[in-house]
Amino acid sequence: MKRLVTFSLLALSLSGCTQEIQNKISRSVQNWTGTDGVLDIISDGKVMYRFIKIDKLTTGSATGQGGSGESRAYRFGYGVMDKNFNLVADDDEKKVYFEISDFATNYVFYENPN
């Protein structure tokens, strides 16, 4: 019964939040629980680069006057560059920072199926 009341209170409090606030809460929970994301960078129908062990992709935000925080047209994150495309972080593959543009890049981000 206590769990039901707690869940009901949580649901009621979230229903009063804007969609943006709900998304931020969802992302923070996802970051807390962790994920095993894979990012494929595609050109001419072929995977050119693959990053694995990604916990999140973050949208760039403007930091200009007034602190508007507007979204920018790129994503960034940290992941292991999977040189041999085997979905495993091998000893010679290191974690790197990456950025991808929404304008010039085709990419697919998904959970590692292994």
Side-chain angles (χ1 to χ4, degrees):
M1 181 67 176
K2 186 177 179 180
R3 286 186 181 179
L4 179 61
V5 171
T6 302
F7 180 74
S8 297
L9 289 174
L10 180 61
L12 281 173
S13 65
L14 285 177
S15 67
C17 295
T18 65
Q19 184 68 39
E20 181 179 0
I21 299 289
Q22 290 176 16
N23 289 341
K24 285 182 181 181
I25 291 170
S26 174
R27 284 191 300 269
S28 69
V29 169
Q30 179 180 354
N31 291 342
W32 178 69
T33 58
T35 59
D36 187 12
V38 177
L39 175 69
D40 288 340
I41 310 293
I42 302 164
S43 179
D44 293 329
K46 181 180 176 188
V47 176
M48 303 302 291
Y49 299 99
R50 175 175 284 158
F51 297 93
I52 59 175
K53 303 268 183 211
I54 300 169
D55 63 348
K56 67 178 177 173
L57 278 181
T58 303
T59 302
S61 296
T63 58
Q65 294 179 347
S68 64
E70 280 185 34
S71 293
R72 303 305 275 292
Y74 72 95
R75 311 276 183 268
F76 65 91
Y78 291 90
V80 175
M81 188 169 191
D82 188 14
K83 296 177 194 174
N84 57 8
F85 302 99
N86 67 352
L87 294 171
V88 175
D90 298 314
D91 291 337
D92 65 332
E93 298 172 338
K94 305 298 178 203
K95 192 169 203 173
V96 297
Y97 171 83
F98 60 85
E99 291 182 4
I100 51 176
S101 167
D102 286 353
F103 297 123
T105 309
N106 291 318
Y107 62 91
V108 178
F109 183 67
Y110 55 97
E111 186 176 359
N112 191 337
N114 292 335

